[in-house]
Amino acid sequence: MAERSTPDRFTSSFDETWDVVVVGYGFAGAAAAMAAHDAGAKVLLVEKMADPGGISICSGGGMRLAHDPEQAFQYLKAQAAGTTPDDILRTFVDGMMGLEEYWEGLARVSDARLLRREREANYPLPGYRTFYFIEVDSIPGFDAERDYPHARARAGGPKIFRVLEDNVRERGIEVRLSTPALRLITDDGNAVRGIWIEHKGRRRAVKARKGVILACGGFENDDEMKKQFWQLKPVFYATGRGNTGDGIRMAQDLGADLWHMWHFHGSYGIRHHDPSYPFAIRMKRLPDWTPGSDPMNVQMAWILLSKNGKRFMNECPPYAQDTSHRPIDHFEPIDQDYPYIPAFAVIDEEGRKMYPLAQTVFNDRDVPYYTWSDDNLKELENGMLKKADTVEDVAAIIGCDAAAVQASLDCWNALCDGGADSDFRRPSGSMTPVRTPPYYVAEVWPVVSNTQGGPRHDTRQRVLNSFSEPIPRLYEAGECGSIWGHLYMTGGNLSECFITGRISGAEAAALPDWDAD
């Protein structure tokens, strides 16, 4: 008889026994597994994909810390805008204050050198100046392309993961790759008893004598969940194919409450010229702008026009990789259309020469890496950029009236000449005129880097049901139910991986064995 597509929640027959099972081998899963092991638990760490690292390995590698806990709390409280309780935020701040010492201990295993760098938070809210970064600066003998060829990323994320992997390996924690988690196993009172996994083509019922920790990310690559929780559509994903909401569904199966499902860390980008290519390619500015930095140092080569040829947003907000998709999220009920999806990036010849307009960053061994050309001419050849010799040609590519495009360009160039964007408050240093033909046009779509929504948890990382009651022996860490419910802070998800991973691992390991009798 063929196996059911979904195994039953209830079983008294287990194939193997562990104290704690951690689902997902990214940064949060590694931290949770190590914390549970260090507290004396026998730990199994499973990862759905063939390679570990999750999407956190794709990050720039800056972990967010704070000098002053009260200022940090005030900033996070303002940033949360009522979406995350104060006690959760204070627990996060407490974790930030001990993160540097924690990382100094991890770094010794790899003989890694840490770098401390002052970096204010992204938004001009109370307390934003108190924050800084730590990064893994160097590891003897480390080569990102050689050691992690599947991680098409900047070096920062792979360096962090090398240190984590060295620490997991030193502890002798069992890791199983290509091993998806299928469903939680419970007793008839909804207490977690274990989890179904699939390993080497066979389903296995795994007993978790103390608990299960869900550290398996969000739902960037689940089209149905995105359709149900977000208004704008389509939203293309940029960093990995593995995050399909598995942990969220497993927690919901046990009655978990959800939070922050609308909020995702996102921007806008360009689709690959091959329709089957899975990842969008995020457009970028140089360098990042934060409240304390000089906006005159920011470069951005384009403006965005709607389907009717009009400029509609600040293309360069304080944290472009976090909120620049939000102005695109507009539905017109009269036309039953999203007038800004797709939008159209318009660049002139001088802008085309400035820098590579986009960058591919993802973790997937089965997808060929696309290297954006330095002069943006390869993209002209493959069709991701379309050349327009005249304003009329720009309008023809967009499918709108040429007079509307001309008016938009005239207005924009006049604002550039005046040195201030009185329409949408784009930073003055990023204001690049678009007046030198030929022009170049690219279709631009909303892009998600990572979601923040998932199971709601308490300060102990216990997953809560709709009545704020902990679901027995079920924990979460990292992006699977993140604290970021309104705005995000650079490096915040990375710090969250370690803060919540450490808490969940220690909490789960401290439980008595449910089968002790």
Side-chain angles (χ1 to χ4, degrees):
M1 179 182 294
E3 287 185 310
R4 292 171 50 189
S5 59
T6 304
D8 199 282
R9 257 179 59 189
F10 310 103
T11 184
S12 59
S13 178
F14 292 96
D15 297 296
E16 56 185 301
T17 299
W18 299 81
D19 292 331
V20 175
V21 178
V22 180
V23 181
Y25 189 9
F27 290 5
M34 290 188 294
H37 172 275
D38 292 353
K42 180 184 176 187
V43 181
L44 174 64
L45 176 57
V46 299
E47 167 57 45
K48 166 184 181 177
M49 303 301 286
D51 295 296
I55 65 169
S56 42
I57 199 172
C58 300
S59 69
M63 294 169 278
R64 182 64 72 172
L65 286 82
H67 295 293
D68 183 273
E70 188 56 34
Q71 289 185 40
F73 171 74
Q74 292 303 325
Y75 180 89
L76 292 173
K77 184 176 176 65
Q79 182 172 303
T83 60
T84 306
D86 287 359
D87 61 344
I88 302 287
L89 297 177
R90 287 200 180 276
T91 298
F92 184 83
V93 170
D94 290 343
M96 293 174 75
M97 303 310 294
L99 197 56
E100 189 164 1
E101 181 180 2
Y102 168 74
W103 258 93
E104 287 171 353
L106 296 181
R108 283 193 286 272
V109 173
S110 305
D111 196 24
R113 177 178 175 269
L114 300 181
L115 174 67
R116 182 169 176 167
R117 184 160 59 92
E118 296 300 319
R119 179 71 181 271
E120 296 166 343
N122 304 92
Y123 301 102
L125 300 170
Y128 77 91
R129 295 184 185 276
T130 193
F131 296 98
Y132 68 99
F133 274 164
I134 57 168
E135 303 169 358
V136 177
D137 185 45
S138 62
I139 306 170
F142 176 77
D143 184 294
E145 292 187 10
R146 180 198 67 210
D147 297 343
Y148 298 114
H150 55 89
R152 324 293 186 150
R154 294 168 287 176
K159 286 178 185 175
I160 289 179
F161 192 72
R162 165 44 54 87
V163 174
L164 295 176
E165 195 171 40
D166 288 347
N167 276 269
V168 168
R169 188 181 297 114
E170 184 188 62
R171 287 165 169 79
I173 296 170
E174 178 154 346
V175 174
R176 296 183 196 169
L177 303 176
S178 300
T179 303
L182 305 177
R183 193 174 191 180
L184 292 162
I185 299 168
T186 70
D187 64 11
D188 56 9
N190 217 40
V192 171
R193 293 296 182 244
I195 191 165
W196 285 98
I197 65 171
E198 185 175 292
H199 184 62
K200 296 183 178 179
R202 178 171 175 254
R203 285 184 179 173
R204 299 181 64 82
V206 180
K207 180 188 286 188
R209 302 176 72 194
K210 295 180 181 295
V212 172
I213 301 170
L214 300 175
C216 44
F219 58 100
E220 298 89 77
N221 189 23
D222 189 282
D223 288 337
E224 185 59 28
M225 291 182 79
K226 290 190 289 187
K227 280 187 235 177
Q228 295 301 330
F229 289 107
W230 302 343
Q231 173 181 259
L232 75 172
K233 58 180 75 69
V235 181
F236 297 104
Y237 57 98
T239 48
R241 292 187 291 177
N243 285 5
T244 53
D246 304 338
I248 298 171
R249 274 187 292 273
M250 285 189 283
Q252 281 185 289
D253 190 31
L254 275 59
D257 195 15
L258 301 181
W259 64 1
H260 307 155
M261 295 298 288
W262 77 276
H263 182 210
F264 67 88
H265 183 53
S267 56
Y268 53 80
I270 298 172
R271 298 300 319 279
H272 193 276
H273 59 89
D274 179 354
S276 67
Y277 195 83
F279 300 119
I281 306 171
R282 292 175 294 189
M283 300 189 75
K284 64 178 186 176
R285 61 186 181 180
L286 294 177
D288 218 10
W289 176 55
T290 55
S293 65
D294 181 1
M296 295 303 294
N297 293 329
V298 180
Q299 290 183 314
M300 182 173 275
W302 63 86
I303 58 171
L304 292 183
L305 300 183
S306 67
K307 294 176 184 177
N308 63 11
K310 296 182 179 180
R311 183 167 173 256
F312 62 93
M313 64 177 285
N314 171 8
E315 299 87 349
C316 189
Y319 192 4
Q321 293 300 329
D322 185 43
T323 58
S324 57
H325 65 283
R326 295 192 190 183
I328 299 172
D329 186 2
H330 173 68
F331 180 72
E332 179 48 66
I334 295 175
D335 299 325
Q336 290 291 295
D337 188 28
Y338 295 89
Y340 311 142
I341 304 177
F344 297 87
V346 181
I347 306 141
D348 73 355
E349 177 66 7
E350 296 305 313
R352 193 269 304 167
K353 298 175 183 176
M354 285 174 62
Y355 63 91
L357 297 174
Q359 181 183 25
T360 312
V361 178
F362 61 84
N363 179 17
D364 197 313
R365 65 162 67 184
D366 296 325
V367 179
Y369 183 70
Y370 181 82
T371 303
W372 197 279
S373 64
D374 289 341
D375 58 9
N376 302 294
L377 290 178
K378 181 173 72 173
E379 289 64 41
L380 182 62
E381 294 174 5
N382 63 33
M384 286 195 278
L385 292 178
K386 292 181 170 60
K387 187 176 180 180
D389 292 317
T390 65
V391 170
E392 289 73 19
D393 293 337
V394 173
I397 293 170
I398 295 175
C400 67
D401 182 60
V405 175
Q406 187 65 66
S408 295
L409 293 179
D410 289 344
C411 178
W412 172 248
N413 291 327
L415 292 173
C416 291
D417 292 340
D421 178 10
S422 56
D423 289 343
F424 298 105
R425 301 171 67 188
R426 179 163 152 177
S428 59
S430 75
M431 296 176 65
T432 304
V434 182
R435 60 162 58 103
T436 306
Y439 305 101
Y440 303 90
V441 182
E443 283 190 358
V444 169
W445 304 83
V447 175
V448 53
S449 298
N450 65 276
T451 59
Q452 307 289 4
R456 188 163 60 94
H457 63 79
D458 63 10
T459 59
R460 297 163 61 183
Q461 296 302 128
R462 299 180 298 181
V463 174
L464 304 177
N465 66 19
S466 298
F467 294 96
S468 299
E469 298 165 338
I471 297 173
R473 300 180 183 272
L474 183 61
Y475 297 83
E476 70 88 18
E479 180 191 340
C480 183
S482 176
I483 68 167
W484 310 102
H486 180 63
L487 293 171
Y488 173 66
M489 176 169 58
T490 325
N493 277 137
L494 297 195
S495 294
E496 183 174 33
C497 285
F498 304 113
I499 294 166
T500 61
R502 295 176 70 189
I503 293 171
S504 62
E507 288 284 340
L511 293 175
D513 298 347
W514 63 262
D515 62 350
D517 295 334

